[in-house]
Amino acid sequence: MTAAPSPAAAAHRIRIGSAPDSWGVWFPDDPCQVPWQRFLDEVSEAGYEWIELGPYGYLPTDPARLADETARRGLAVSAGTVFTALHRGPAVWEDTWRQVGKVAALTRAMGARHLVVIPSFWRDDRTAEPVESPELTAAQWRDLATGMERLGREVRDEFGLRIVVHPHADTHIDTEENVTRFLDATDPDLVALCLDTGHYAYCGGDSVRLIQTYGERLGYLHLKQVDPEVLAAVVREGLPFGPAVRRGVMCEPPGGVPALEPVLSAARELDVDLFAIVEQDMYPCPPDRPLPIARRTRRFLRGCGA
């Protein structure tokens, strides 16, 4: 009989990192955001060794330059990120693949193995105005599932990367009902899950239950918490996600929900290698705010055994 992994060994199978999002970065270029050099300096100073690329074009897109900038700060890249609108059917494939190809090529060049795929917002990410219906038709669900499977296959075959789909507020993959519908409709060999604990709680989901039920689909974690009092007001007022972030709906752990200790414990029980990337949506935020939060969050996660 094979012995169960020790708690210490299991903890080491979860690699903790952070992302530009935790420094208030949502766009490739925006005067509200800190320069990329400062982000790299401070994420290293806060005690992290892994980062995501963030929005394509925020960090240098020349692989040699980015490799030099990250290596001399003791950093490595865990994943790139893309947004897709595959529920719109085959007509969007060529544009989608052009965008994905750029990000995937840089992700592979940086030695990462994951591509985080976020469904497109049904509200505009700057104005928060609705751009389409928040509900998909049955045909759109089929297009979303088949399109994501195609993306998973082609990203794997051309770039050697695994796609991990990220349920997100103000997208069509958000609530427990929609997340489970999407997972049940897609091939586990082609499509894995990036569970963002904050977004899932924002949309009413239970991260621990999702891990326990669909653990074989979990390929990546984003660690985030929601302030329940702010969230209650957001729901009551029907606020879009952008204004909700500006109101402080995503908060510094351990001050929100879900509790991260049970999430990490459930993830450890899967006995698989996982990245767990801290993301605290704070766009926009004062430039001196992220670093102290990042230090405290890293210290808190160490206390959780991560």
Side-chain angles (χ1 to χ4, degrees):
M1 180 180 296
T2 302
S6 69
H12 288 138
R13 300 196 71 177
I14 298 179
R15 299 179 177 94
I16 300 295
S18 193
D21 189 32
S22 294
W23 268 254
V25 175
W26 277 12
F27 303 103
D29 184 25
D30 189 296
C32 295
Q33 299 173 170
V34 297
W36 63 266
Q37 296 93 334
R38 180 170 179 175
F39 160 68
L40 291 180
D41 288 342
E42 292 189 351
V43 73
S44 175
E45 185 180 339
Y48 295 98
E49 298 177 357
W50 294 93
I51 61 165
E52 292 181 354
L53 294 177
Y56 183 80
Y58 173 66
L59 295 175
T61 56
D62 175 68
R65 184 182 184 196
L66 183 55
D68 176 68
E69 296 285 354
T70 53
R72 66 189 182 86
R73 295 172 171 89
L75 299 171
V77 175
S78 62
T81 302
V82 295
F83 286 83
T84 62
L86 294 169
H87 67 285
R88 296 175 188 165
V92 304
W93 176 259
E94 289 188 10
D95 286 342
T96 300
W97 187 249
R98 276 193 292 271
Q99 172 207 4
V100 168
K102 294 188 301 182
V103 180
L106 180 59
T107 302
R108 178 181 62 181
M110 296 306 298
R113 299 296 301 275
H114 296 88
L115 191 66
V116 178
V117 181
I118 302 177
S120 61
F121 296 166
W122 54 265
R123 303 192 217 231
D124 184 272
D125 57 359
R126 287 186 184 269
T127 68
E129 292 298 318
V131 295
E132 59 187 318
S133 171
E135 303 294 333
L136 295 181
T137 65
Q140 287 174 318
W141 272 110
R142 287 194 297 272
D143 284 334
L144 175 61
T146 58
M148 204 66 79
E149 288 177 336
R150 180 182 179 186
L151 187 69
R153 182 182 299 107
E154 299 205 14
V155 165
R156 180 196 64 193
D157 292 349
E158 182 156 342
F159 297 101
L161 304 178
R162 184 187 194 193
I163 69 165
V164 287
V165 177
H166 181 321
H168 197 293
D170 285 357
T171 77
H172 298 107
I173 307 178
D174 51 1
T175 62
E176 179 179 2
E177 178 184 4
N178 286 338
V179 170
T180 56
R181 180 175 182 173
F182 174 76
L183 291 175
D184 289 343
T186 49
D187 185 341
D189 291 334
L190 298 173
V191 180
L193 174 71
C194 170
L195 171 59
D196 184 304
T197 59
H199 281 279
Y200 200 51
Y202 183 101
C203 298
D206 182 324
S207 289
V208 171
R209 184 167 65 222
L210 185 63
I211 293 171
Q212 292 172 341
T213 307
Y214 285 90
E216 75 282 359
R217 303 298 297 273
L218 186 65
Y220 203 88
L221 274 171
H222 279 172
L223 299 178
K224 187 181 297 176
Q225 286 192 322
V226 175
D227 183 316
E229 292 187 5
V230 177
L231 180 61
V234 165
V235 172
R236 186 169 60 249
E237 298 172 31
L239 280 184
F241 181 66
V245 168
R246 290 192 287 275
R247 192 174 288 191
V249 72
M250 298 299 181
C251 63
E252 177 183 347
V257 297
L260 295 181
E261 299 97 320
V263 171
L264 290 166
S265 178
R268 287 190 196 101
E269 290 177 8
L270 300 176
D271 193 27
V272 295
D273 293 322
L274 282 173
F275 283 102
I277 304 299
V278 176
E279 279 201 329
Q280 184 181 341
D281 292 297
M282 293 194 294
Y283 177 87
C285 70
D288 293 332
R289 186 179 178 215
L291 178 57
I293 292 176
R295 284 176 174 148
R296 291 191 295 266
T297 300
R298 187 68 193 96
R299 194 159 52 243
F300 166 75
L301 290 172
R302 286 194 185 98
C304 298

